Amino acid sequence: AQSVTQLGSHVSVSEGALVLLRCNYSSSVPPYLFWYVQYPNQGLQLLLKYTTGATLVKGINGFEAEFKKSETSFHLTKPSAHMSDAAEYFCAVSRGGTSYGKLTFGQGTILTVHP
Amino acid sequence: DSGVTQTPKHLITATGQRVTLRCSPRSGDLSVYWYQQSLDQGLQFLIQYYNGEERAKGNILERFSAQQFPDLHSELNLSSLELGDSALYFCASSAPAGGYNSPLHFGNGTRLTVT
């Protein structure tokens, strides 16, 4: 079985500050890891994914995440927050292969950005 | 715009009723996934179809069923509705032919309210 824990249901930062959203996963097989963003009244948009290879993954909108197997973590970072980053962020894991799209999501982290 | 179209956007119905949610995947995508997002359970995978055939099942209730038609659109049927079925139902599509690791593209969801 797979699971995802997102530490902190709400994170608040000032504009221009570092964004750090924490995600830890549990998986019995090498995981495929994802970060999605959800804006109000919209669907989920893929920010970035880790499948294999380089452990530092760069995504859209200046976000990046690092896969750390020893820590079972996949934290999302952005050096400088922008007001438009305010949204809910979901970390997800899958087994890959034919189960690639069968995602197990974390509970989400709402990011608030203050001017 | 993800290219995935879900109708209707909102649905209000009474307990015990039956509803059908519709999803049109992105052009060329063969896989359709259904997810449920509720306050209690978060985002949960329900079911996947690939080119008309059921590929994977998640936490889908027996009162719920889905199918994918020859034109690749999909329908999620929810019957004997209960208050707890109130949620946002997302459809996602992926996999141009042969691509297991293609990213999921989510629609904007159908918000179901059961009264």
Side-chain angles (χ1 to χ4, degrees), chain B:
Chain B
D1 183 5
S2 69
V4 178
T5 303
Q6 290 188 247
T7 57
K9 291 185 179 179
H10 301 276
L11 201 48
I12 301 174
T13 189
T15 55
Q17 296 299 304
R18 171 188 170 96
V19 297
T20 298
L21 313 183
R22 181 186 170 100
C23 170
S24 294
R26 287 192 330 154
S27 177
D29 284 358
L30 301 181
S31 271
V32 169
Y33 306 80
W34 286 98
Y35 283 82
Q36 179 195 59
Q37 185 178 31
S38 66
L39 289 176
D40 291 344
Q41 302 293 327
L43 269 161
Q44 290 198 97
F45 168 75
L46 295 179
I47 197 164
Q48 177 201 356
Y49 279 81
Y50 180 82
N51 203 19
E53 295 191 359
E54 183 182 304
R55 177 62 63 89
K57 252 184 177 179
N59 298 325
I60 187 166
L61 300 172
E62 285 191 10
R63 300 184 285 107
F64 296 0
S65 64
Q67 54 185 328
Q68 186 179 27
F69 295 86
D71 67 353
L72 300 178
H73 91 272
S74 177
E75 293 181 355
L76 179 66
N77 300 296
L78 315 177
S79 61
S80 302
L81 285 167
E82 302 175 359
L83 296 178
D85 297 328
S86 296
L88 192 52
Y89 291 85
F90 284 111
C91 170
S93 73
S94 78
Y100 280 135
N101 291 340
S102 303
L104 269 65
H105 298 271
F106 282 80
N108 286 346
T110 292
R111 183 169 296 282
L112 173 66
T113 303
V114 183
T115 62

